[in-house]
Amino acid sequence: MTRWGLVIVVFYSLVALITPLLICLGWLPDANAGLANPINDSPNWSHWCGTDRLGRDVCVRTMAGSGVALQVVLLAVGLALIMGVPLGMISGYFGGGIDQILMLLMDALYSLPVLLLSMVLAFLLGKGILNAAAALCVVYVPQYFRMVRNQTAQMKSELFVEAARSLGAGPAWILRRYLFRNVITSVPVLLTLNAADAVLVLGGLGFLGLGLPEAVPEWGGDLNLALATVPTGIWWTTLFPGLAMFTLVLGLSFLGEGIEAWLSGSEARPASD
């Protein structure tokens, strides 16, 4: 499972890296170039995945969309990780009023449906890559916070933490030196699973017209544009962006499940002297 997930994620990463280069070299048409192409042309030797109703090459749009999806997802999940982990450690270690305030705020965010909250934030922030990443980031911060906070609260009374505290180590040193590397071990699983969910949420925002500008090649936006032509038998404009979204989510999910299984196996094995 881990191997297949890694292969899929690496494949989309390579596609995201080489597509702008191929466009710059002129080996692929621009993702928004469509005036010279037939409109809603079926797949052929010139356009392997056909063209959409604006005459744009669906294959190029799908390839370029992988870069946009990975860029937004990495920004969103990375920012959520950077914000959620320190807040969770501070809340779990110090407790008291700080813990109550942070828990109240995170529980309020966590109680809202992911897509609904991201829709509201995307509407308020407007369209754009950074705005979409910020909307998704706020959605995933509570998940990192809750996981890290619970682990920190459990581990702060361990003997090695008490020993460090009795030797004069301050809270900042204990959090950085002893607790961080213990609570961070479970983050990669949540990271990959959140990345898979973020691809779907980003696609949902684009499908609803709340994601990125129309000129940006994004799978959800392309599905929204192609929705009107599906009843007329034009299937290729929805098949290829939808298939790309499905396989990337599948790869990230496989990777997350594989990492979780590997970590569980590592914890089950007895530690050597």
Side-chain angles (χ1 to χ4, degrees), residues 59-143:
C59 181
V60 176
R61 295 279 299 182
T62 304
M63 293 173 63
S66 62
V68 175
L70 290 175
Q71 184 179 356
V72 173
V73 167
L74 288 176
L75 283 173
V77 178
L79 289 174
L81 174 67
I82 293 173
M83 296 174 60
V85 171
L87 289 176
M89 294 182 66
I90 291 172
S91 178
Y93 184 81
F94 291 101
I98 297 177
D99 182 42
Q100 294 179 1
I101 294 174
L102 290 175
M103 280 293 294
L104 181 63
L105 177 61
M106 295 300 170
D107 285 345
L109 292 175
Y110 193 76
S111 63
L112 298 173
V114 172
L115 183 58
L116 178 61
L117 180 58
S118 60
M119 285 172 55
V120 173
L121 293 174
F123 177 78
L124 294 176
L125 296 175
K127 295 184 177 182
I129 290 180
L130 293 179
N131 292 340
L136 294 176
C137 168
V138 175
V139 170
Y140 296 117
V141 167
Q143 299 186 25

Side-chain angles (χ1 to χ4, degrees), residues 2 6 18 20 45 56-57 73 75 81 109 152 154 170 176 187 196 220 248 269 273:
T2 308
L6 188 60
I18 65 174
W45 287 109
R56 300 174 300 189
D57 192 290
V73 167
L75 283 173
L81 174 67
L109 292 175
T152 303
Q154 293 175 0
R176 184 176 64 253
V187 166
L248 180 56
R269 291 192 297 266
D273 293 336

Side-chain angles (χ1 to χ4, degrees), residues 17 28 46 58-59 70 73-74 79 122 133 137-138 164 172 194 210 222 237 242 252 264:
L17 290 174
L28 289 177
S46 299
V58 174
C59 181
L70 290 175
V73 167
L74 288 176
L79 289 174
C137 168
V138 175
N194 278 348
L210 297 173
D222 289 349
T237 53
L252 289 169
S264 299

